[in-house]
Amino acid sequence: SLRNMDVVGDIRNPVEYLVELLGMNAFIGNTIDTSWLDGIIKEKSVELKYDDADVVFYAAVYRAMRMLKTRQEEVLSALGKGQLGPLDQLSSMNSFPVEIAFK
């Protein structure tokens, strides 16, 4: 059921990591203890696999949303002060470059 669990939020969750741990033969055979887990963590033998395209896509979406939120706050702040100048900048929120460096 962990595979079907969706966790939404800003906090990174360990669901994929737990699924990998639970699928290991030592865990299934109940031959584990804390030193087993310490060894796995030290050796980094459980590695999460992500598709590079997904990582880049989500990073770009995150950066774009951050940029849009910042611009929205700037416009609303200016409007709160009675300034209409930033309304001209609203079109820049329709299309803008997002730079992502990966690997």
Side-chain angles (χ1 to χ4, degrees), residues 10 13 53 69-71 85-86 91-92 100:
D10 294 332
N13 66 75
K69 185 174 182 173
T70 300
R71 288 186 181 175
S91 62
S92 69
I100 301 294

Side-chain angles (χ1 to χ4, degrees), residues 17-83:
Y17 190 80
L18 290 174
V19 168
E20 290 293 322
L21 285 178
L22 297 177
M24 297 181 96
N25 289 333
F27 188 88
I28 293 169
N30 196 26
T31 59
I32 61 170
D33 56 23
T34 54
S35 64
W36 170 79
L37 184 58
D38 290 340
I40 287 176
I41 293 170
K42 183 179 178 181
E43 296 171 10
K44 298 184 185 216
S45 60
V46 174
E47 190 173 314
L48 299 178
K49 300 162 194 86
Y50 295 105
D51 183 32
D52 290 349
D54 287 342
V55 172
V56 171
F57 172 76
Y58 291 122
V61 168
Y62 173 75
R63 287 210 176 155
M65 291 300 297
R66 248 184 39 203
M67 185 179 297
L68 287 172
K69 185 174 182 173
T70 300
R71 288 186 181 175
Q72 178 186 22
E73 289 170 355
E74 291 169 355
V75 168
L76 291 175
S77 174
L79 289 175
K81 297 174 187 174
Q83 301 169 347

